[in-house]
Amino acid sequence: MSKPNKKRYVLSQVKQQFTDAVGGEDVEFELADGQVLTFPHPLFADDDWSEAVDGAETNKAKARAILGEEQYAKFQDAGHADAEIALLFLAVQQDMQDQVKKRPTRS
């Protein structure tokens, strides 16, 4: 039971609010050839993925860390440049910041 004037968060509700606010736990994007690829949304990514992305020092290394080898090959085969993933990642982060500001704090 909640105490008067005291805020209590329900973790499942908080996660759902953030999931809804950012559009899901995965980011989907379309390549020039129409293929749709995904990667974990940074809010919901596991530690291994986050560490690999954070530790990547070049656009190529970052793109490979974000996409994984199989999707990276599809990305390259579709004629895209590694820097495009960096731009997409930046857009996802900016959108996340905008949406999180709008998130309701209580259900």
Side-chain angles (χ1 to χ4, degrees), residues 27 39-42 87-97:
V27 174
F39 59 87
H41 193 286
L87 293 172
L88 174 60
F89 199 70
L90 180 60
V92 167
Q93 290 175 320
Q94 288 177 343
D95 288 347
M96 175 179 62
Q97 289 172 353

Side-chain angles (χ1 to χ4, degrees), residues 18 21-22 94-105:
F18 276 102
V22 300
Q94 288 177 343
D95 288 347
M96 175 179 62
Q97 289 172 353
D98 291 343
Q99 293 303 318
V100 166
K101 289 177 188 175
K102 300 174 189 172
R103 181 189 69 85
T105 55

Side-chain angles (χ1 to χ4, degrees), residues 9-45:
Y9 293 95
V10 177
L11 292 180
S12 62
Q13 291 175 355
V14 171
K15 182 178 180 185
Q16 189 60 53
Q17 288 172 355
F18 276 102
T19 302
D20 294 344
V22 300
E25 292 187 32
D26 292 313
V27 174
E28 290 187 358
F29 64 101
E30 187 173 324
L31 301 178
D33 64 4
Q35 290 185 81
V36 176
L37 303 183
T38 64
F39 59 87
H41 193 286
L43 275 179
F44 305 107

Side-chain angles (χ1 to χ4, degrees), residues 28-82:
E28 290 187 358
F29 64 101
E30 187 173 324
L31 301 178
D33 64 4
Q35 290 185 81
V36 176
L37 303 183
T38 64
F39 59 87
H41 193 286
L43 275 179
F44 305 107
D46 64 33
D47 288 344
D48 290 341
W49 185 89
S50 296
E51 288 171 7
V53 171
D54 290 345
E57 295 185 11
T58 65
N59 283 340
K60 182 176 185 173
K62 191 166 285 283
R64 291 177 99 138
I66 290 170
L67 297 177
E69 292 303 321
E70 184 179 321
Q71 290 195 118
Y72 180 74
K74 292 176 183 179
F75 175 78
Q76 288 288 288
D77 290 346
H80 291 278
D82 295 326

